[in-house]
Amino acid sequence: MSAQPAEHGHGGGRLGLPPMDTVQELRAALRAGHGFPGDAERLDAELAEQLLRRVPVDRLDQVDQVPAVADLVAVAEIVAAYRGRVLLAADPETSDAVDQAVADLLARQGAE
């Protein structure tokens, strides 16, 4: 039996978005302007914070005691959050709601 790619539906036609089933696809979507301004850089920074932690070679035998090992659950949560941001930014109803909220806030500031 061979493994089949999962059908996640995280892009690839939904709201005209590119596929986002891998970290590389998500990064490419963010760099292409999907999502919110600055998301591509923030995603890279957050992933680097989790993935670039190192265990000193002289402490490999104590890896269960070293807190600086990548937390893959945290990595998965980061990826899911940015995928969700791309979907939110591409949703016309969400975009309209954000625009209306900004307009309301600006109007209130002008009235004060």
Side-chain angles (χ1 to χ4, degrees):
M1 178 187 307
S2 65
Q4 299 297 316
E7 294 290 332
H8 296 293
H10 294 128
R14 182 175 180 198
L15 300 172
L17 295 172
M20 295 182 291
D21 293 323
T22 67
V23 173
Q24 286 305 101
E25 289 174 345
L26 175 58
R27 291 176 78 221
L30 290 170
R31 285 197 176 93
H34 300 286
F36 296 99
D39 277 355
E41 295 79 12
R42 282 191 294 273
L43 171 67
D44 285 346
E46 289 183 38
L47 289 176
E49 183 179 330
Q50 289 298 324
L51 295 174
L52 296 180
R53 295 178 180 194
R54 303 270 190 249
V55 176
V57 175
D58 63 336
R59 296 187 67 193
L60 286 177
D61 61 330
Q62 303 168 11
V63 75
D64 59 329
Q65 299 169 15
V66 178
V69 176
D71 180 350
L72 296 181
V73 171
V75 170
E77 289 171 350
I78 291 166
V79 170
Y82 280 91
R83 186 181 291 128
R85 291 177 62 82
V86 170
L87 293 171
L88 279 174
D91 182 1
E93 290 178 17
T94 301
S95 183
D96 291 345
V98 169
D99 289 344
Q100 184 60 50
V102 169
D104 291 347
L105 286 172
L106 292 174
R108 284 187 207 149
Q109 286 179 346
E112 293 177 2

